[in-house]
Amino acid sequence: MQIDLAPYTTNRIVPSSVRFTWMGHVFEDIEGILYRDPTTGSAGFTAGIIDYRTGIAHVTNYVVAGSPTNFTLNSLWVSKGDWTTSRVFCRTPSAPIKPGGFVMSILDVAGTQITATSDIYGKITGDHCLGEIDYQTGVIDMIFGDLVQDSTLTADDKLEWWYAKALTQITAAGKVWRPWPVDPNSLRFNAVSYFYLPLDADLLGIDPVRLPQDGRVPIFRPGGFAVVGNTGKITATVSNAQTIDCARVRLSRVRVVGFDGSVINTGYTFDLEAGTVTFTSVAGYSQPVTIEHRIEDMVVVSDVQITGQLGFTRPLTHDYPLTVPPTSFISSALVAGDLKSRVSILFDQATWSGTVWLDSVSGSNANGTYNDILSPIVVTNIGALTERWALVFTSTTAFNVVGEHVGIITTGNINTNCAPLNPATNTPYFTVPALGWGLGWSTGNMLRFNTVGAITPVWVIRTVQQGPNTGIEHSFTLLSRGDVDRP
């Protein structure tokens, strides 16, 4: 049945203002939906819909009891004009918002309810709408409409105000954006926000007075450095003399990972400028391998907006693809200044317990000594790491190479150069030239020295909020970058 609720006016019905009694039963309108016989504890039975624009109630569920003309209009509001919009920009009362915890509903001009939900990345989707939400600030930006074929529009459609603008944004498929007007007064949303309780300084270990309420410290500030990067992957079964083109140039680094997940450091060369990888010896590879190629821009931050948008002092020199899930990221950068690997301590000792690492002689010196003036121990930035080393003699000429953290890594003797390889870079941790050894060494003697790598020490602290476990795929990456060879 169709009932014209406002036959004497062309004004638009105000949503949720209608109540009428028909054949002894009460009908109420809630956001475009009619409900029959509502009570204080129940909305009642779904009975139809209302077209707010025409004022007609479409009743599909009713009870015949007496004359159908037994009708009383208890409540109805109308408003002059037809205030509609095709875009909504607003903010939630509280923030941050739980990712994926946002649901929105709104009525279009015909009274049809539009529902939209957000995903974990902040994208909002639904019928006739697109948008996004910034979970940290609670800022919401929604547009309402559809991409339609330009050829399907009528002559009257092309006279509408929106058509001229739509023509300037026509897609390659010949589609234009047609707005879908909605009533902003009917906007409703549900969102789950976080609330943070202050932590005890004794429990936290530091004084939280200067920390933000949620414990999160901004990592991007005007004048600071940031690194924009994207890592692409190519999976292939490779062979000797084969060259793989990564399809982009000026790479920042290349890494090859075997099918078993282990990093491969040998058997290939790469040209970062040209973006190619050439395999020279693939014996022992776990195939197929994955070639990870990365592009980066290190920039100075000029502006930081509350929406999360950053401004830089110069344009980016690469194109960074936008994908879901994302593959392009922006990282904070801790600038360490000029760094150089070196040998910091060198001494010999007659005996050693094998467990106590000291930076000075314990007991007496050995009879033999190493001439580091004539033949200094050589370290390189790419191979050295910060470590305490001990060359412990097992005879008058042979010795074990022991690191405080890496353990026994190799053996050597005083007649040949000792250059144990760092497996991460395939270059020596250090090189002890044979020319520096003198006579007088005996079993149990030790040559002690420390190396300092060309990397700055950093404390990494991870904090976990209270609550149930929500997943195990949590990770981060620390990458040391050097600008000596790459501008």
Side-chain angles (χ1 to χ4, degrees):
M1 296 293 294
Q2 294 184 4
I3 302 175
D4 191 347
L5 300 176
Y8 304 114
T9 180
T10 58
N11 293 339
R12 188 172 182 271
I13 293 179
V14 176
S16 302
S17 69
V18 175
R19 178 186 176 97
F20 61 87
T21 304
W22 184 37
M23 294 190 291
H25 294 268
V26 176
F27 294 79
E28 284 189 357
D29 140 60
I30 301 178
E31 296 186 349
I33 306 297
L34 276 177
Y35 294 90
R36 177 172 56 81
D37 297 328
T39 64
T40 55
S42 171
F45 303 94
T46 303
I49 60 174
I50 291 182
D51 188 332
Y52 293 131
R53 182 173 47 185
T54 63
I56 294 178
H58 300 267
V59 185
T60 57
N61 184 341
Y62 55 90
V63 177
V64 178
S67 173
T69 60
N70 183 14
F71 176 88
T72 302
L73 183 61
N74 304 117
S75 172
L76 184 146
W77 287 79
V78 294
S79 61
K80 286 189 175 182
D82 193 14
W83 181 41
T84 62
T85 184
S86 60
R87 184 167 188 175
V88 172
F89 190 82
C90 59
R91 185 174 182 177
T92 58
S94 60
I97 302 298
K98 177 183 177 182
F102 176 82
V103 179
M104 184 211 71
S105 69
I106 197 169
L107 299 178
D108 64 12
V109 293
T112 303
Q113 187 177 60
I114 297 174
T115 303
T117 59
S118 66
D119 62 15
I120 61 173
Y121 302 108
K123 298 298 182 183
I124 303 175
T125 55
D127 292 338
H128 312 298
C129 63
L130 291 173
E132 58 184 7
I133 176 174
D134 185 328
Y135 288 127
Q136 292 302 314
T137 61
V139 174
I140 304 158
D141 190 3
M142 294 285 300
I143 57 175
F144 298 88
D146 300 283
L147 280 172
V148 298
Q149 288 289 343
D150 181 59
S151 59
T152 63
L153 297 177
T154 65
D156 290 338
D157 291 334
K158 295 182 179 181
L159 294 176
E160 293 287 341
W161 61 269
W162 50 266
Y163 184 72
K165 182 178 180 181
L167 280 181
T168 65
Q169 302 171 346
I170 192 167
T171 67
K175 292 185 176 182
V176 296
W177 181 260
R178 179 175 185 170
W180 191 274
V182 295
D183 179 4
N185 293 316
S186 64
L187 175 65
R188 303 288 186 273
F189 64 82
N190 292 328
V192 179
S193 64
Y194 291 114
F195 176 76
Y196 298 96
L197 296 174
L199 292 178
D200 190 330
D202 294 334
L203 179 64
L204 190 61
I206 59 175
D207 188 352
V209 171
R210 299 186 62 183
L211 292 177
Q213 183 183 17
D214 60 0
R216 300 181 180 183
V217 179
I219 61 174
F220 299 111
R221 299 181 179 88
F225 287 88
V227 178
V228 182
N230 173 268
T231 300
K233 297 181 180 180
I234 299 174
T235 300
T237 300
V238 296
S239 57
N240 291 340
Q242 181 180 0
T243 298
I244 301 294
D245 190 345
C246 298
R248 51 189 187 180
V249 298
R250 293 187 298 108
L251 304 179
S252 61
R253 71 164 179 158
V254 167
R255 189 173 75 154
V256 178
V257 181
F259 184 72
D260 58 359
S262 60
V263 179
I264 300 173
N265 297 305
T266 60
Y268 62 91
T269 60
F270 49 80
D271 185 336
L272 295 178
E273 201 66 33
T276 58
V277 183
T278 301
F279 291 88
T280 57
S281 178
V282 300
Y285 280 14
S286 176
Q287 302 259 27
V289 299
T290 299
I291 303 166
E292 298 179 354
H293 50 93
R294 182 169 179 82
I295 55 174
E296 289 181 346
D297 273 291
M298 189 169 185
V299 292
V300 177
V301 178
S302 62
D303 183 47
V304 181
Q305 296 292 333
I306 192 173
T307 60
Q309 189 175 41
L310 302 179
F312 304 135
T313 58
R314 65 170 178 84
L316 300 177
T317 64
H318 294 278
D319 291 330
Y320 294 92
L322 297 178
T323 58
V324 178
T327 58
S328 298
F329 296 92
I330 182 166
S331 308
S332 59
L334 179 63
V335 180
D338 294 335
L339 298 170
K340 182 180 179 181
S341 62
R342 67 188 188 277
V343 177
S344 62
I345 292 176
L346 176 67
F347 61 90
D348 54 72
Q349 192 169 298
T351 60
W352 182 49
S353 66
T355 58
V356 180
W357 295 85
L358 300 175
D359 291 334
S360 59
V361 178
S362 176
S364 59
N365 292 102
N367 291 328
T369 189
Y370 185 84
N371 189 345
D372 64 318
I373 303 299
L374 175 64
S375 299
I377 298 174
V378 178
V379 292
T380 61
N381 289 344
I382 194 172
L385 79 163
T386 302
E387 178 68 306
R388 290 169 167 171
W389 300 99
L391 307 187
V392 182
F393 279 81
T394 56
S395 68
T396 57
T397 59
F399 53 80
N400 290 330
V401 179
V402 186
E404 181 182 15
H405 301 98
V406 299
I408 300 177
I409 58 173
T410 189
T411 60
N413 63 79
I414 63 175
N415 299 314
T416 59
N417 293 344
C418 178
L421 286 181
N422 182 340
T425 61
N426 201 35
T427 55
Y429 288 113
F430 54 82
T431 299
V432 180
L435 187 61
W437 293 106
L439 300 177
W441 296 97
S442 57
T443 302
N445 289 172
M446 173 184 66
L447 179 67
R448 266 279 290 113
F449 61 92
N450 293 352
T451 58
V452 179
I455 187 170
T456 186
V458 178
W459 279 24
V460 179
I461 302 175
R462 178 182 177 184
T463 60
V464 180
Q465 298 289 343
Q466 294 178 344
N469 184 23
T470 57
I472 60 176
E473 300 298 325
H474 303 299
S475 64
F476 65 91
T477 300
L478 295 178
L479 177 62
S480 299
R481 306 174 76 253
D483 295 327
V484 174
D485 301 320
R486 302 285 298 169

